[in-house]
Amino acid sequence: MRTLIVAEIDTDKSNDLITSGQMPEMMGRMMEQLRPEAAYFYPLNGHRGFTLVVDVDQESSLVTTMEPLWMRLGAKVTVTPCMSADELRAGIEKLRG
């Protein structure tokens, strides 16, 4: 299932990871694990934030995906199922059936 993950990262926790040099490794592991089809990083409500579009094959995998964001980054996370325009068209066509 294509899923949109939006995370707002705690500034103090991320500052600690950046100054200790751990942030690139942590973000690299996350990107390797999730293999997003799109990833965007930006300011969000005055904090660091990012949006990832990922394929979640099993809902239970969200546990291992989200815990590091909450525990290590103190992130506020929103997870939303989403679809492409082609998938939306296919769904609408099924309604007409």
Side-chain angles (χ1 to χ4, degrees):
M1 168 178 52
R2 182 176 286 118
T3 304
L4 186 68
I5 298 173
V6 178
E8 180 179 332
I9 302 170
D10 179 79
T11 300
D12 290 333
K13 287 190 176 196
S14 60
N15 284 346
D16 290 344
L17 289 169
I18 289 168
T19 56
S20 70
Q22 296 176 44
M23 183 66 94
E25 178 186 335
M26 183 184 169
M27 295 302 287
R29 277 194 315 262
M30 182 181 70
M31 298 297 280
E32 178 68 26
Q33 175 191 359
L34 296 176
R35 300 187 187 281
E37 67 181 65
Y40 303 97
F41 302 86
Y42 48 86
L44 179 61
N45 299 320
H47 298 104
R48 294 175 181 98
F50 61 84
T51 297
L52 304 177
V53 180
V54 300
D55 182 30
V56 176
D57 57 351
Q58 294 181 354
E59 288 78 5
S60 62
S61 67
L62 288 173
V63 174
T64 56
T65 301
M66 297 301 111
E67 284 304 328
L69 297 175
W70 290 320
M71 294 176 70
R72 301 275 321 269
L73 294 174
K76 295 178 183 176
V77 181
T78 303
V79 179
T80 308
C82 60
M83 64 187 89
S84 68
D86 290 338
E87 292 164 335
L88 175 62
R89 276 191 287 280
I92 290 171
E93 284 298 318
K94 289 179 183 178
L95 290 174
R96 296 176 58 196

